[in-house]
Amino acid sequence: MAFALPVWLAVQEELLAQGDADCATPSCFDEFDDEALFQVFHLTRPCIAFITDAVRIRMKNVPMKKPAMSVDATVMVALNYYAHGVSSVDVLQRVAQSQSDCLAIICTVSRVFAGMSDLFISFPLLRNARVNVASRTEKLCRIPNVLGVLAPAHFKIRASPYEKETFRSFVNTLGYTSVVSQLICDCDGNILSVEKCCVGSTFEQEMWDSSFKGKEMEEELHGPFWVIGGKGYTLSKHVLTPVSEPANDRETRFNEAHTKIHNVMRTTLGSMKRRFRCLMQLGFAQEGSLDKKSNIIKACSVLHNIAKKFSVPPPPVAGKIEPLHPGKKHSVPSEINPEALKCRQEIIDGNFSTVSMSQDHVLAFSSCFQTL
């Protein structure tokens, strides 16, 4: 579940508190039939209605240009942009806005959506929630005590090659210019955390070390649980990486299981970029623009979780979706915690000794956390 049931009920209760008048007001989305609605916004009617009502609550104190547009109209402009990466002429005509006007609208609504991340992007905080998440993950990949998948998410931007220093800082490991955010998702593809918006050349490990979630995990605030990390991360007490050079069948099977759960992030990012085509190209690199790009990334993450809550499928594949990026490591390898190595080896020996593992070994590794 993307966010806890009490959160869902709290939002619903606040929506109901607005009174029946708002519910009875016709919406500009009513002009679309269901098929057209999905084509234009990549979301369904019930999902859009919930999103619009949630934004209506948040936008009460948000200053807008005069004469103010209706909340429905502002949400329509933003959702259309997220879905296609451009604002369609038809939608702009419906709300009587120009392309230049819609940029300000998108910035405003993106800030509102980003501010809703505390409601709709939820890392498991209670032990029972962590155990449930870890149990679902274990059923998928047989690796115990995993809360989620950690990965850098790269989003293309345009940067002028004539501004060499600026351009160089945005070039990522695949050779194109991008910004990168740190995402964590669960085994069902719900976004659990989204942090940072850095230039594309940023090292994954540096992002993790300086992130709020990284500090919380490494300071033991979330208990003896792991997040799955790729080759760009250093094996640590709470980041579980693959074996770089597997020496036996056990380590090979562990790496295969690691790849299986790691690919959930690949699928999740692919789904997000299919639904929100704006993430395929986030515009130009400009000074001070990282905050605006961060708001759009967070907005799409919030909407992704809401869409999953409403079981809205992503649109069909259209064009190539970028793969997860190969890890970017420092030329001088980081020193690996020997206790972390020991813990990973206990997981491998206790859970991947044979093709069909015994459930008696599932918790064999847990004692190692006592020494970390």
Side-chain angles (χ1 to χ4, degrees):
M1 183 179 292
F3 37 94
L5 183 60
V7 171
W8 175 267
L9 294 176
V11 174
Q12 293 281 45
E13 183 178 354
E14 190 168 1
L15 295 179
L16 292 173
Q18 306 306 306
D20 296 332
D22 285 344
C23 298
T25 303
S27 166
C28 54
F29 290 103
D30 295 341
E31 300 173 12
F32 296 87
D33 61 33
D34 290 346
E35 182 178 355
L37 200 70
F38 188 81
Q39 289 178 349
V40 176
F41 306 105
H42 294 168
L43 297 167
T44 58
R45 195 176 305 279
C47 184
I48 291 174
F50 177 83
I51 290 167
T52 304
D53 286 342
V55 171
R56 184 174 290 111
I57 295 172
R58 290 295 183 109
M59 290 191 71
K60 283 186 173 181
N61 299 317
V62 176
M64 293 290 289
K65 59 177 289 187
K66 303 296 183 180
M69 293 173 60
S70 69
V71 171
D72 286 17
T74 57
V75 172
M76 175 180 286
V77 170
L79 293 185
N80 177 237
Y81 168 78
Y82 298 148
H84 299 282
V86 294
S87 297
S88 70
V89 173
D90 176 59
V91 167
L92 292 179
Q93 288 178 342
R94 288 172 184 267
V95 297
Q97 298 293 317
S98 66
Q99 285 285 354
S100 58
D101 290 333
C102 80
L103 293 177
I105 295 168
I106 291 164
C107 286
T108 298
V109 178
S110 294
R111 282 200 308 272
V112 172
F113 279 130
M116 293 163 63
S117 60
D118 58 336
L119 284 177
F120 299 112
I121 299 177
S122 176
F123 200 79
L125 299 178
L126 301 178
R127 178 162 180 82
N128 285 345
R130 294 174 190 144
V131 170
N132 288 336
V133 171
S135 177
R136 296 201 311 274
T137 305
E138 186 180 347
K139 289 180 181 178
L140 174 67
C141 67
R142 302 196 312 227
I143 302 176
N145 277 25
V146 170
L147 292 182
V149 183
L150 168 69
H154 284 261
F155 306 98
K156 286 184 177 180
I157 61 163
R158 297 185 180 95
S160 172
Y162 298 104
E163 299 176 13
K164 292 184 178 180
E165 291 304 315
T166 299
F167 180 84
R168 189 177 296 115
S169 68
F170 282 97
V171 177
N172 61 34
T173 50
L174 291 183
Y176 64 80
T177 51
S178 70
V179 293
V180 56
S181 288
Q182 175 182 285
L183 265 64
I184 301 176
C185 73
D186 65 14
C187 65
D188 299 315
N190 298 302
I191 303 299
L192 303 180
S193 173
V194 54
E195 283 191 61
K196 304 281 188 176
C197 185
C198 306
V199 296
S201 63
T202 306
F203 288 91
E204 292 96 303
Q205 187 63 43
E206 290 178 355
M207 291 179 66
W208 174 251
D209 290 340
S210 62
S211 68
F212 291 113
K213 201 56 62 185
K215 292 176 181 177
E216 289 175 0
M217 291 287 290
E218 299 300 343
E219 291 173 4
E220 303 283 348
L221 297 184
H222 295 283
F225 293 90
W226 302 92
V227 289
I228 294 291
K231 294 179 180 179
Y233 296 96
T234 301
L235 176 68
S236 67
K237 295 185 295 183
H238 297 286
V239 178
L240 186 60
T241 60
V243 178
S244 58
E245 297 180 0
N248 51 53
D249 290 343
R250 294 192 301 273
E251 293 180 353
T252 297
R253 284 192 287 269
F254 168 78
N255 277 5
E256 290 171 349
H258 188 283
T259 298
K260 185 175 184 178
I261 181 61
H262 196 251
N263 278 342
V264 171
M265 180 64 82
R266 188 189 310 274
T267 302
T268 299
L269 285 174
S271 175
M272 285 181 63
K273 290 181 179 183
R274 282 157 58 191
R275 189 186 306 281
F276 307 115
R277 301 293 294 178
C278 67
L279 296 178
M280 298 294 286
Q281 174 53 258
L282 278 177
F284 287 90
Q286 297 173 339
E287 186 176 352
S289 67
L290 287 182
D291 285 344
K292 293 180 180 179
K293 290 172 174 38
S294 177
N295 284 340
I296 291 175
I297 293 166
K298 286 183 179 179
C300 291
S301 299
V302 166
L303 294 171
H304 167 83
N305 280 359
I306 294 175
K308 285 187 67 66
K309 182 71 176 180
F310 279 86
S311 301
V312 184
V317 176
K320 180 182 177 182
I321 300 298
E322 292 294 333
L324 287 182
H325 285 241
K328 181 177 180 180
K329 291 189 174 183
H330 289 283
S331 55
V332 178
S334 302
E335 183 177 348
I336 298 178
N337 184 331
E339 291 297 334
L341 277 171
K342 178 183 176 183
C343 277
R344 184 176 68 181
Q345 195 59 49
E346 289 192 16
I347 289 177
I348 294 170
D349 293 341
N351 296 278
F352 295 91
S353 294
T354 59
V355 176
S356 296
M357 260 73 67
S358 167
Q359 291 299 314
D360 294 337
H361 296 299
V362 166
L363 300 178
F365 79 99
S366 59
S367 61
C368 74
F369 282 101
Q370 304 303 317
T371 60
L372 288 177

